[in-house]
Amino acid sequence: MTISFGLNFSMGVFFAPTTASYGVSATALAVAAALGTTVTGFAQPFVGRLLDSAGAKTVLIGGLALISGSYLALAAVRETWQFITAYMLLGGLGFAASSTLTVTTLIGRTLGNQVGPALTRAAVGINLGQLIGPWAATALFEPAGVRATYALLGAAGLAVTAVLWLILPADSRTNRVAGQAESLAGRGRVLVSFGLHSATLYVVILMLPKHAVEAGWSVVNAGRLVALAALAAGLTSIAMVRLQRRYRVENLLRALYVVRIIALALAVSSTAPATLIAVAVLFGAASFPIVPLTMAVVSRGLDPARMGRTLAPAWVIHQLAAAAGLAIASALHALTDSYRGYFALGLLFSAAAALLLHSNEPVHHATLHRLPEQPLDNGDQHHDRRNPPHRGNSGPAGLLPASR
């Protein structure tokens, strides 16, 4: 996740210097980002099937190779259409195969319904990548140039990918038999809130550096806003691991959305340096932890063997909402020469997402625990009579909701 998210979200740091060095317009960069995110979204069902058939390790390594290769390609392109194609196809497909769907499937198969804290710990890798990537890029821009910086980060990504191929264990719980994904019924409002979250997340993280440059910041200092957001997100993710032991995940999500609303209100109100720093800290702290917490809610009770296919629609929603957000933000920027209008829209999206989590619709609130295995009588294939399987709607047979 450090490589995948580090390379994906570091692209925002490159936008301003790429415009100056490559002659690629700001509109073309926004189009490339929107198209890349769209490709990531439409690729999710295919990635989900691969996760269940080929295994998470194979998919992860392939995705990391593609997204790292996209940086090498961006170092070599000469035409605007080449830039957009490399960003859209290599970057979009690479991120689709190496992002949270793959990691959620891998961890979910190992830990079952106790996935929440582990996903939150894994999400620290997202923040580490967003911390290292922007800092490395901004440090290299002046001495090495933009093209060399693309090449160096891409080569570093490939080197780490090769090491991961050697050390990661094989995924032993794949399902090579064709089958249908499970239904995500009862999780609809959570999925809508996830889409609203994504529609603002990508715009703020990718466009905040450009917004700061337009407010008079240097390219280097503007790029470091992303690293600052990542640092805040990492600290929040660490705290969330402990807080999940005391509070329901849904309550933590609502609290994060409130902080997010405050961050976006600040972004709308002013472009002063202190305000933009506060926006980066608050938005980063409140936004990235929402991803693993939402996946912890959505993945409860799912069959591990079909988890890739089942969770894919959630990531289609996430990525297509992000693409739509980038397109709308680009259009508003073209009309107003500012992203503040979209930040205001993002504030409304965040408020709506928080309200959706207050709905009475069942969203699988209960944490599920597997019963300890009982010995079978004379090869009987049924559950031990002393511990009959639960037949309710809270999860698969053999799972019981924890007491509150």
Side-chain angles (χ1 to χ4, degrees), residues 127-187:
N127 314 131
L128 185 60
Q130 292 165 326
L131 183 62
I132 294 173
W135 277 96
T138 53
L140 289 169
F141 281 151
E142 291 187 4
V146 178
R147 288 188 183 276
T149 301
Y150 274 124
L152 288 170
L153 291 184
L158 286 178
V160 174
T161 300
V163 173
L164 290 174
W165 173 256
L166 295 175
I167 66 175
L168 284 178
D171 185 353
S172 60
R173 297 188 66 181
T174 57
N175 178 16
R176 298 183 183 277
V177 178
Q180 296 294 320
E182 292 184 86
S183 171
L184 292 177
R187 298 167 170 89

Side-chain angles (χ1 to χ4, degrees), residues 8-9 11-12 15 26-41 87-88 92 95 195-210 317-334 338-339 342-343 345-346 349:
N8 187 59
F9 282 102
M11 282 303 302
F15 281 178
T27 300
L29 291 171
V31 168
L35 290 176
T37 306
T38 302
V39 168
T40 299
Y87 189 134
M88 176 180 67
F95 188 61
L196 293 172
H197 162 267
S198 175
T200 311
L201 172 66
Y202 278 66
V203 171
V204 174
I205 295 302
L206 290 177
M207 301 306 178
L208 186 60
K210 188 171 182 296
I317 293 170
H318 186 271
Q319 294 303 127
L320 294 186
L326 287 165
I328 295 170
S330 177
L332 288 175
H333 185 272
S338 174
Y339 289 106
Y342 192 83
F343 295 158
L345 190 58
F349 288 164

Side-chain angles (χ1 to χ4, degrees), residues 22 24 71 77 85 96 99 128 186 205 211 231-232 265 365 377:
Y22 284 43
V24 178
Y71 268 64
V77 298
T85 301
S99 59
L128 185 60
I205 295 302
H211 180 64
L231 177 61
H365 288 157
D377 295 329

Side-chain angles (χ1 to χ4, degrees), residues 150-293:
Y150 274 124
L152 288 170
L153 291 184
L158 286 178
V160 174
T161 300
V163 173
L164 290 174
W165 173 256
L166 295 175
I167 66 175
L168 284 178
D171 185 353
S172 60
R173 297 188 66 181
T174 57
N175 178 16
R176 298 183 183 277
V177 178
Q180 296 294 320
E182 292 184 86
S183 171
L184 292 177
R187 298 167 170 89
R189 294 184 185 272
V190 176
L191 293 174
V192 173
S193 73
F194 196 41
L196 293 172
H197 162 267
S198 175
T200 311
L201 172 66
Y202 278 66
V203 171
V204 174
I205 295 302
L206 290 177
M207 301 306 178
L208 186 60
K210 188 171 182 296
H211 180 64
V213 169
E214 291 173 351
W217 287 45
S218 71
V219 169
V220 171
N221 288 334
R224 287 174 178 168
L225 284 173
V226 178
L228 188 60
L231 177 61
L235 295 175
T236 306
S237 294
I238 292 171
M240 287 294 152
V241 175
R242 292 183 174 274
L243 289 173
Q244 285 179 74
R245 300 170 185 170
R246 299 183 59 187
Y247 302 100
R248 279 175 47 195
V249 172
E250 290 82 356
N251 291 336
L252 296 175
L253 282 168
R254 294 181 192 113
L256 289 173
Y257 276 116
V258 170
V259 176
R260 203 171 191 261
I261 290 168
I262 295 171
L264 289 166
L266 290 173
V268 173
S269 67
S270 173
T271 57
T275 301
L276 292 183
I277 291 172
V279 170
V281 171
L282 293 175
F283 190 85
S287 291
F288 287 102
I290 286 175
V291 175
L293 291 179

